[in-house]
């Protein structure tokens, strides 16, 4: 189980993103922070002062905090989960660079993913044959990438986020963006 957290402006103030991050940490999922490197996209990593403002109720708006509380998440839970996520060094992803660079970056990202052993529930095939879902959380939207054994490489981009499904080695990453979160 892997969650790819695309570090875009605003991602740490989006209620559904924060819910997924805390839930992932609570369920011991592997959260991979990914720094989106493109012009105009700047993510500021939280520092101690940011965490103090979070705990003081100065980061999240009232509706976000209320939503998280309704899901059993308080500011201390959120701080703990985010600090755990940011103990990892963020990996780069450059959606505006060449396909070769994107492929290399995605290959490095896939090397960091942990695959479950055994069989997927309800399937008679080993999970490596079924595929591994890699959700990516970014700026209020979720992209679910499916790792499969196909080697074709799609070339069309989403148009908004630049995450285009460039393949890594013999595996294909195909994002499916879920709207309305």
């Amino acid at each position: 189980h892997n969650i790819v957290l695309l570090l875009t402006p605003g991602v740490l103030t989006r209620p559904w993103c924060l819910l997924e991050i805390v839930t992932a940490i609570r369920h011991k999922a592997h959260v991979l922070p990914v720094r989106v490197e493109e012009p105009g996209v700047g993510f500021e990593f939280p520092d101690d002062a940011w965490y103090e403002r979070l705990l003081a109720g100065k980061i999240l708006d009232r509706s976000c905090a209320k939503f998280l509380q309704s899901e059993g998440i308080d500011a201390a839970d959120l701080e703990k989960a985010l600090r755990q996520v940011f103990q990892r060094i963020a990996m780069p992803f450059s959606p505006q660079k060449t396909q070769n660079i994107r492929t290399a970056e995605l290959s490095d990202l896939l090397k960091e993913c942990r695959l479950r052993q055994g069989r997927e529930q309800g399937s008679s095939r080993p999970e490596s044959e079924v595929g591994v879902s890699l959700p990516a959380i970014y700026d209020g939207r979720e992209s679910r990438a499916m790792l499969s054994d196909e080697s074709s490489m799609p070339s069309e981009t989403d148009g908004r986020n630049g995450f285009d499904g460039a393949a890594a080695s013999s595996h294909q990453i195909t994002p499916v963006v879920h709207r309305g979160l």
Side-chain angles (χ1 to χ4, degrees), residues 18-67:
L18 297 173
L19 173 65
E20 288 210 26
I21 292 167
V22 173
T23 302
I25 295 297
R26 285 179 175 172
H27 289 93
K28 301 186 184 342
H30 192 205
V31 179
L32 300 163
V34 174
R35 197 176 57 248
V36 178
E37 297 183 351
E38 78 178 319
V41 176
F43 176 81
E44 292 187 34
F45 287 87
D47 58 12
D48 287 336
W50 188 92
Y51 288 113
E52 287 175 22
R53 290 193 317 275
L54 174 70
L55 293 172
K58 297 179 181 179
I59 297 288
L60 305 178
D61 66 32
R62 181 179 214 110
S63 64
C64 180
K66 187 175 180 177
F67 169 76

Short mmCIF file of all heavy atoms in Angstrom, two decimals, residues 18-67:
data_model
loop_
_atom_site.label_atom_id
_atom_site.label_comp_id
_atom_site.label_asym_id
_atom_site.label_seq_id
_atom_site.Cartn_x
_atom_site.Cartn_y
_atom_site.Cartn_z
N LEU A 18 -5.83 15.69 3.80
CA LEU A 18 -5.37 15.49 5.18
C LEU A 18 -5.96 14.23 5.78
O LEU A 18 -5.26 13.48 6.47
CB LEU A 18 -5.70 16.72 6.02
CG LEU A 18 -5.00 18.01 5.57
CD1 LEU A 18 -5.54 19.20 6.36
CD2 LEU A 18 -3.50 17.89 5.70
N LEU A 19 -7.24 13.98 5.51
CA LEU A 19 -7.88 12.75 5.99
C LEU A 19 -7.15 11.52 5.44
O LEU A 19 -6.86 10.58 6.18
CB LEU A 19 -9.36 12.72 5.58
CG LEU A 19 -10.10 11.42 5.88
CD1 LEU A 19 -10.20 11.17 7.38
CD2 LEU A 19 -11.49 11.46 5.24
N GLU A 20 -6.84 11.53 4.14
CA GLU A 20 -6.15 10.38 3.55
C GLU A 20 -4.75 10.21 4.11
O GLU A 20 -4.29 9.09 4.32
CB GLU A 20 -6.12 10.50 2.02
CG GLU A 20 -7.49 10.26 1.43
CD GLU A 20 -7.44 9.66 0.06
OE1 GLU A 20 -6.45 8.98 -0.28
OE2 GLU A 20 -8.41 9.85 -0.68
N ILE A 21 -4.05 11.31 4.36
CA ILE A 21 -2.71 11.22 4.92
C ILE A 21 -2.75 10.59 6.31
O ILE A 21 -2.02 9.64 6.59
CB ILE A 21 -2.04 12.61 4.98
CG1 ILE A 21 -1.76 13.13 3.57
CG2 ILE A 21 -0.77 12.57 5.81
CD1 ILE A 21 -1.41 14.61 3.52
N VAL A 22 -3.62 11.10 7.17
CA VAL A 22 -3.71 10.57 8.54
C VAL A 22 -4.16 9.11 8.51
O VAL A 22 -3.61 8.26 9.22
CB VAL A 22 -4.64 11.43 9.41
CG1 VAL A 22 -4.87 10.78 10.77
CG2 VAL A 22 -4.07 12.83 9.58
N THR A 23 -5.15 8.81 7.67
CA THR A 23 -5.64 7.43 7.57
C THR A 23 -4.53 6.50 7.09
O THR A 23 -4.37 5.40 7.61
CB THR A 23 -6.86 7.36 6.63
OG1 THR A 23 -7.88 8.23 7.14
CG2 THR A 23 -7.39 5.95 6.50
N ALA A 24 -3.77 6.95 6.10
CA ALA A 24 -2.65 6.14 5.59
C ALA A 24 -1.63 5.86 6.68
O ALA A 24 -1.19 4.72 6.86
CB ALA A 24 -2.00 6.84 4.41
N ILE A 25 -1.26 6.88 7.43
CA ILE A 25 -0.28 6.71 8.51
C ILE A 25 -0.83 5.77 9.58
O ILE A 25 -0.13 4.87 10.06
CB ILE A 25 0.12 8.07 9.12
CG1 ILE A 25 0.86 8.92 8.08
CG2 ILE A 25 0.93 7.90 10.39
CD1 ILE A 25 2.17 8.34 7.59
N ARG A 26 -2.09 5.94 9.94
CA ARG A 26 -2.71 5.08 10.95
C ARG A 26 -2.73 3.62 10.51
O ARG A 26 -2.65 2.71 11.33
CB ARG A 26 -4.13 5.54 11.26
CG ARG A 26 -4.20 6.78 12.11
CD ARG A 26 -5.62 7.20 12.35
NE ARG A 26 -5.68 8.34 13.26
CZ ARG A 26 -6.79 9.00 13.52
NH1 ARG A 26 -7.94 8.66 12.95
NH2 ARG A 26 -6.76 10.03 14.35
N HIS A 27 -2.86 3.39 9.21
CA HIS A 27 -2.92 2.01 8.68
C HIS A 27 -1.58 1.53 8.16
O HIS A 27 -1.50 0.55 7.44
CB HIS A 27 -4.00 1.92 7.60
CG HIS A 27 -5.37 2.01 8.17
ND1 HIS A 27 -6.05 3.20 8.27
CD2 HIS A 27 -6.17 1.07 8.70
CE1 HIS A 27 -7.23 2.99 8.82
NE2 HIS A 27 -7.33 1.70 9.10
N LYS A 28 -0.54 2.27 8.52
CA LYS A 28 0.84 1.90 8.19
C LYS A 28 1.10 1.79 6.68
O LYS A 28 1.91 0.98 6.23
CB LYS A 28 1.25 0.64 8.92
CG LYS A 28 1.15 0.78 10.43
CD LYS A 28 1.70 -0.40 11.16
CE LYS A 28 1.56 -0.35 12.65
NZ LYS A 28 1.31 0.83 13.35
N ALA A 29 0.38 2.61 5.92
CA ALA A 29 0.66 2.69 4.48
C ALA A 29 1.94 3.48 4.29
O ALA A 29 2.34 4.28 5.13
CB ALA A 29 -0.50 3.35 3.75
N HIS A 30 2.58 3.26 3.19
CA HIS A 30 3.83 3.90 2.85
C HIS A 30 3.49 5.20 2.11
O HIS A 30 3.01 5.17 0.99
CB HIS A 30 4.62 2.94 1.96
CG HIS A 30 6.02 3.31 1.73
ND1 HIS A 30 6.70 2.90 0.62
CD2 HIS A 30 6.90 4.03 2.45
CE1 HIS A 30 7.94 3.36 0.67
NE2 HIS A 30 8.07 4.04 1.77
N VAL A 31 3.72 6.35 2.76
CA VAL A 31 3.42 7.65 2.15
C VAL A 31 4.70 8.22 1.55
O VAL A 31 5.70 8.39 2.24
CB VAL A 31 2.83 8.64 3.18
CG1 VAL A 31 2.54 9.98 2.52
CG2 VAL A 31 1.56 8.06 3.80
N LEU A 32 4.65 8.48 0.24
CA LEU A 32 5.81 8.97 -0.49
C LEU A 32 5.59 10.43 -0.88
O LEU A 32 4.80 10.71 -1.78
CB LEU A 32 6.03 8.14 -1.76
CG LEU A 32 6.27 6.66 -1.55
CD1 LEU A 32 6.08 5.89 -2.83
CD2 LEU A 32 7.67 6.46 -1.02
N PRO A 33 6.26 11.38 -0.22
CA PRO A 33 6.12 12.77 -0.64
C PRO A 33 6.87 13.01 -1.95
O PRO A 33 8.01 12.58 -2.11
CB PRO A 33 6.73 13.56 0.51
CG PRO A 33 7.64 12.60 1.21
CD PRO A 33 7.11 11.22 0.95
N VAL A 34 6.20 13.67 -2.89
CA VAL A 34 6.79 13.94 -4.20
C VAL A 34 6.71 15.44 -4.46
O VAL A 34 5.64 16.02 -4.48
CB VAL A 34 6.07 13.15 -5.31
CG1 VAL A 34 6.60 13.54 -6.68
CG2 VAL A 34 6.22 11.65 -5.09
N ARG A 35 7.86 16.03 -4.67
CA ARG A 35 7.98 17.46 -4.96
C ARG A 35 7.71 17.69 -6.45
O ARG A 35 8.44 17.20 -7.30
CB ARG A 35 9.40 17.90 -4.59
CG ARG A 35 9.66 19.33 -4.43
CD ARG A 35 11.10 19.58 -3.96
NE ARG A 35 12.08 19.01 -4.90
CZ ARG A 35 12.88 17.98 -4.63
NH1 ARG A 35 12.85 17.40 -3.46
NH2 ARG A 35 13.74 17.54 -5.52
N VAL A 36 6.65 18.41 -6.76
CA VAL A 36 6.32 18.72 -8.16
C VAL A 36 7.18 19.90 -8.57
O VAL A 36 7.08 20.98 -8.01
CB VAL A 36 4.81 19.05 -8.32
CG1 VAL A 36 4.50 19.41 -9.76
CG2 VAL A 36 3.97 17.88 -7.85
N GLU A 37 8.03 19.65 -9.56
CA GLU A 37 8.97 20.67 -9.99
C GLU A 37 8.54 21.21 -11.34
O GLU A 37 8.86 20.66 -12.38
CB GLU A 37 10.38 20.09 -10.05
CG GLU A 37 10.87 19.65 -8.69
CD GLU A 37 12.29 19.13 -8.70
OE1 GLU A 37 12.87 18.94 -9.78
OE2 GLU A 37 12.82 18.90 -7.60
N GLU A 38 7.75 22.30 -11.27
CA GLU A 38 7.35 22.98 -12.49
C GLU A 38 7.21 24.46 -12.17
O GLU A 38 6.95 24.83 -11.02
CB GLU A 38 6.08 22.37 -13.08
CG GLU A 38 4.78 22.74 -12.45
CD GLU A 38 3.59 22.09 -13.16
OE1 GLU A 38 3.56 22.04 -14.40
OE2 GLU A 38 2.71 21.65 -12.45
N PRO A 39 7.39 25.30 -13.18
CA PRO A 39 7.31 26.74 -12.95
C PRO A 39 5.97 27.14 -12.32
O PRO A 39 4.92 26.66 -12.72
CB PRO A 39 7.44 27.34 -14.35
CG PRO A 39 8.12 26.27 -15.16
CD PRO A 39 7.68 24.97 -14.56
N GLY A 40 6.04 27.97 -11.31
CA GLY A 40 4.83 28.46 -10.66
C GLY A 40 4.26 27.55 -9.59
O GLY A 40 3.28 27.89 -8.95
N VAL A 41 4.84 26.38 -9.41
CA VAL A 41 4.37 25.46 -8.37
C VAL A 41 5.42 25.44 -7.27
O VAL A 41 6.49 24.88 -7.45
CB VAL A 41 4.14 24.04 -8.93
CG1 VAL A 41 3.74 23.09 -7.81
CG2 VAL A 41 3.09 24.05 -10.01
N GLY A 42 5.09 26.09 -6.18
CA GLY A 42 6.04 26.12 -5.07
C GLY A 42 5.39 25.57 -3.82
O GLY A 42 4.31 26.00 -3.43
N PHE A 43 6.02 24.60 -3.22
CA PHE A 43 5.52 24.02 -1.98
C PHE A 43 6.48 24.40 -0.88
O PHE A 43 7.69 24.23 -1.01
CB PHE A 43 5.44 22.49 -2.09
CG PHE A 43 5.01 21.83 -0.81
CD1 PHE A 43 3.68 21.78 -0.46
CD2 PHE A 43 5.95 21.28 0.06
CE1 PHE A 43 3.28 21.19 0.73
CE2 PHE A 43 5.56 20.69 1.24
CZ PHE A 43 4.22 20.65 1.59
N GLU A 44 5.94 24.93 0.20
CA GLU A 44 6.76 25.26 1.36
C GLU A 44 6.61 24.15 2.39
O GLU A 44 5.51 23.89 2.86
CB GLU A 44 6.33 26.60 1.95
CG GLU A 44 6.65 27.76 1.03
CD GLU A 44 6.39 29.10 1.70
OE1 GLU A 44 6.60 29.20 2.93
OE2 GLU A 44 5.99 30.02 0.98
N PHE A 45 7.73 23.51 2.71
CA PHE A 45 7.70 22.43 3.69
C PHE A 45 7.39 23.01 5.07
O PHE A 45 7.87 24.08 5.42
CB PHE A 45 9.05 21.69 3.72
CG PHE A 45 9.27 20.83 2.51
CD1 PHE A 45 9.82 21.35 1.36
CD2 PHE A 45 8.89 19.50 2.53
CE1 PHE A 45 10.01 20.57 0.24
CE2 PHE A 45 9.07 18.70 1.42
CZ PHE A 45 9.63 19.23 0.27
N PRO A 46 6.58 22.30 5.85
CA PRO A 46 6.25 22.79 7.19
C PRO A 46 7.48 22.81 8.09
O PRO A 46 8.28 21.87 8.07
CB PRO A 46 5.22 21.79 7.71
CG PRO A 46 5.05 20.74 6.69
CD PRO A 46 5.90 21.05 5.53
N ASP A 47 7.62 23.89 8.85
CA ASP A 47 8.68 23.98 9.84
C ASP A 47 8.03 24.02 11.22
O ASP A 47 6.81 23.92 11.35
CB ASP A 47 9.58 25.20 9.59
CG ASP A 47 8.80 26.51 9.58
OD1 ASP A 47 7.62 26.55 9.99
OD2 ASP A 47 9.38 27.53 9.16
N ASP A 48 8.83 24.16 12.27
CA ASP A 48 8.28 24.15 13.63
C ASP A 48 7.24 25.26 13.82
O ASP A 48 6.23 25.05 14.49
CB ASP A 48 9.40 24.26 14.67
CG ASP A 48 10.19 22.97 14.79
OD1 ASP A 48 9.65 21.89 14.46
OD2 ASP A 48 11.36 23.03 15.23
N ALA A 49 7.49 26.43 13.25
CA ALA A 49 6.53 27.53 13.38
C ALA A 49 5.21 27.17 12.71
O ALA A 49 4.12 27.50 13.22
CB ALA A 49 7.11 28.81 12.78
N TRP A 50 5.26 26.48 11.57
CA TRP A 50 4.04 26.05 10.88
C TRP A 50 3.25 25.08 11.76
O TRP A 50 2.04 25.20 11.89
CB TRP A 50 4.39 25.40 9.53
CG TRP A 50 3.20 25.10 8.68
CD1 TRP A 50 2.65 25.90 7.74
CD2 TRP A 50 2.42 23.89 8.69
NE1 TRP A 50 1.57 25.27 7.16
CE2 TRP A 50 1.40 24.04 7.72
CE3 TRP A 50 2.47 22.70 9.40
CZ2 TRP A 50 0.46 23.05 7.46
CZ3 TRP A 50 1.53 21.72 9.15
CH2 TRP A 50 0.54 21.90 8.19
N TYR A 51 3.95 24.12 12.36
CA TYR A 51 3.28 23.15 13.23
C TYR A 51 2.67 23.84 14.45
O TYR A 51 1.58 23.47 14.89
CB TYR A 51 4.23 22.02 13.66
CG TYR A 51 4.56 21.06 12.55
CD1 TYR A 51 5.83 20.96 12.02
CD2 TYR A 51 3.56 20.23 12.02
CE1 TYR A 51 6.13 20.08 11.00
CE2 TYR A 51 3.86 19.33 11.00
CZ TYR A 51 5.14 19.26 10.49
OH TYR A 51 5.42 18.39 9.48
N GLU A 52 3.35 24.86 14.99
CA GLU A 52 2.79 25.62 16.11
C GLU A 52 1.49 26.31 15.69
O GLU A 52 0.51 26.31 16.44
CB GLU A 52 3.80 26.65 16.61
CG GLU A 52 4.95 26.04 17.39
CD GLU A 52 6.00 27.07 17.78
OE1 GLU A 52 5.68 28.28 17.81
OE2 GLU A 52 7.15 26.65 18.05
N ARG A 53 1.50 26.91 14.49
CA ARG A 53 0.27 27.56 13.98
C ARG A 53 -0.83 26.53 13.74
O ARG A 53 -2.00 26.80 13.99
CB ARG A 53 0.58 28.35 12.71
CG ARG A 53 1.41 29.59 12.96
CD ARG A 53 1.47 30.56 11.78
NE ARG A 53 1.67 29.97 10.47
CZ ARG A 53 2.85 29.64 9.93
NH1 ARG A 53 3.97 29.87 10.60
NH2 ARG A 53 2.91 29.11 8.73
N LEU A 54 -0.45 25.33 13.28
CA LEU A 54 -1.44 24.25 13.09
C LEU A 54 -2.11 23.91 14.42
O LEU A 54 -3.35 23.85 14.51
CB LEU A 54 -0.77 23.00 12.50
CG LEU A 54 -1.66 21.77 12.37
CD1 LEU A 54 -2.71 21.97 11.28
CD2 LEU A 54 -0.82 20.53 12.09
N LEU A 55 -1.30 23.70 15.44
CA LEU A 55 -1.83 23.34 16.75
C LEU A 55 -2.65 24.47 17.38
O LEU A 55 -3.57 24.22 18.17
CB LEU A 55 -0.70 22.91 17.68
CG LEU A 55 0.00 21.61 17.29
CD1 LEU A 55 1.23 21.38 18.16
CD2 LEU A 55 -0.96 20.43 17.38
N ALA A 56 -2.34 25.72 17.02
CA ALA A 56 -3.06 26.87 17.54
C ALA A 56 -4.33 27.16 16.74
O ALA A 56 -5.06 28.10 17.06
CB ALA A 56 -2.15 28.10 17.55
N GLY A 57 -4.59 26.36 15.70
CA GLY A 57 -5.81 26.56 14.91
C GLY A 57 -5.71 27.67 13.89
O GLY A 57 -6.74 28.20 13.44
N LYS A 58 -4.49 28.01 13.45
CA LYS A 58 -4.31 29.13 12.52
C LYS A 58 -3.98 28.70 11.10
O LYS A 58 -3.77 29.56 10.24
CB LYS A 58 -3.21 30.05 13.06
CG LYS A 58 -3.59 30.69 14.39
CD LYS A 58 -2.49 31.57 14.90
CE LYS A 58 -2.90 32.18 16.23
NZ LYS A 58 -1.84 33.02 16.78
N ILE A 59 -3.93 27.42 10.82
CA ILE A 59 -3.62 26.94 9.47
C ILE A 59 -4.89 26.52 8.73
O ILE A 59 -5.13 26.94 7.60
CB ILE A 59 -2.62 25.76 9.50
CG1 ILE A 59 -1.28 26.19 10.10
CG2 ILE A 59 -2.44 25.15 8.11
CD1 ILE A 59 -0.44 27.09 9.23
N LEU A 60 -5.69 25.69 9.36
CA LEU A 60 -6.88 25.15 8.72
C LEU A 60 -8.07 26.07 8.94
O LEU A 60 -8.24 26.62 10.02
CB LEU A 60 -7.20 23.76 9.28
CG LEU A 60 -6.08 22.72 9.22
CD1 LEU A 60 -6.55 21.43 9.85
CD2 LEU A 60 -5.64 22.52 7.78
N ASP A 61 -8.90 26.19 7.89
CA ASP A 61 -10.11 26.98 8.10
C ASP A 61 -11.09 26.19 8.95
O ASP A 61 -10.92 24.98 9.19
CB ASP A 61 -10.72 27.44 6.78
CG ASP A 61 -11.26 26.32 5.90
OD1 ASP A 61 -11.74 25.30 6.44
OD2 ASP A 61 -11.23 26.46 4.67
N ARG A 62 -12.10 26.87 9.43
CA ARG A 62 -13.06 26.28 10.38
C ARG A 62 -13.74 25.02 9.82
O ARG A 62 -13.85 24.01 10.52
CB ARG A 62 -14.10 27.33 10.77
CG ARG A 62 -15.11 26.85 11.74
CD ARG A 62 -16.11 27.96 12.10
NE ARG A 62 -16.49 27.81 13.47
CZ ARG A 62 -16.14 28.62 14.45
NH1 ARG A 62 -15.41 29.66 14.22
NH2 ARG A 62 -16.54 28.38 15.67
N SER A 63 -14.15 25.06 8.55
CA SER A 63 -14.85 23.89 7.98
C SER A 63 -13.92 22.69 7.84
O SER A 63 -14.34 21.55 8.05
CB SER A 63 -15.49 24.24 6.64
OG SER A 63 -14.51 24.58 5.68
N CYS A 64 -12.66 22.93 7.51
CA CYS A 64 -11.69 21.83 7.39
C CYS A 64 -11.46 21.20 8.76
O CYS A 64 -11.48 19.96 8.89
CB CYS A 64 -10.38 22.35 6.80
SG CYS A 64 -9.10 21.09 6.61
N ALA A 65 -11.23 22.03 9.77
CA ALA A 65 -11.00 21.52 11.12
C ALA A 65 -12.21 20.75 11.63
O ALA A 65 -12.08 19.67 12.23
CB ALA A 65 -10.66 22.67 12.07
N LYS A 66 -13.40 21.27 11.35
CA LYS A 66 -14.64 20.60 11.78
C LYS A 66 -14.79 19.24 11.08
O LYS A 66 -15.15 18.24 11.70
CB LYS A 66 -15.84 21.49 11.49
CG LYS A 66 -17.13 20.96 12.05
CD LYS A 66 -18.26 21.96 11.82
CE LYS A 66 -19.56 21.41 12.39
NZ LYS A 66 -20.66 22.36 12.26
N PHE A 67 -14.50 19.22 9.78
CA PHE A 67 -14.57 17.96 9.04
C PHE A 67 -13.61 16.93 9.62
O PHE A 67 -13.99 15.77 9.86
CB PHE A 67 -14.25 18.19 7.56
CG PHE A 67 -14.04 16.93 6.79
CD1 PHE A 67 -15.11 16.12 6.42
CD2 PHE A 67 -12.75 16.50 6.46
CE1 PHE A 67 -14.90 14.94 5.73
CE2 PHE A 67 -12.54 15.33 5.77
CZ PHE A 67 -13.62 14.54 5.41
#
